Amino acid sequence: MAVEHIVLAKPRDGVAEQKILGLCREVEAHFDKIPGVISSSMGLTFKPGPSGFLYGVVVRLRDKQALDTYLPHPEHLAAGKKMQGVFSDFL
């Protein structure tokens, strides 16, 4: 059964939206290289709450085993490192 990994992200103050949108494409490219990933998307949420988590990431994976492979995968870790430079907090 497919599973989804969902993350919400709060941008750092002063980061331009164009920089964030460029990062979204980079992150998706990292995830597409990981075995078991069916699809990935990252972008601006349509209904941001007062908490400031304005961006979302959704990664659909083949199954729980694929998620277990994805989490420590070097491409996932590289994407996370890039995201930490632009976002201040994650859920």
Side-chain angles (χ1 to χ4, degrees):
M1 174 187 296
V3 297
E4 292 184 343
H5 176 62
I6 300 169
V7 176
L8 298 176
K10 181 188 296 187
R12 294 185 183 280
D13 291 337
V15 176
E17 184 176 357
Q18 288 304 318
K19 181 173 182 168
I20 295 171
L21 294 176
L23 175 72
C24 290
R25 305 299 75 85
E26 290 180 38
V27 167
E28 290 171 354
H30 279 289
F31 295 160
D32 289 345
K33 296 176 184 176
I34 301 173
V37 171
I38 297 169
S39 65
S40 66
S41 63
M42 180 177 177
L44 190 62
T45 62
F46 285 102
K47 190 175 180 184
S51 59
F53 290 90
L54 303 177
Y55 291 84
V57 181
V58 178
V59 180
R60 187 167 178 84
L61 299 116
R62 183 185 61 240
D63 53 25
K64 173 69 167 74
Q65 184 178 359
L67 176 64
D68 293 341
T69 298
Y70 163 87
L71 291 172
H73 195 281
E75 291 290 340
H76 175 246
L77 299 177
K81 188 171 184 173
K82 287 181 179 181
M83 290 176 66
Q84 289 173 356
V86 174
F87 296 102
S88 62
D89 202 4
F90 302 91
L91 290 177

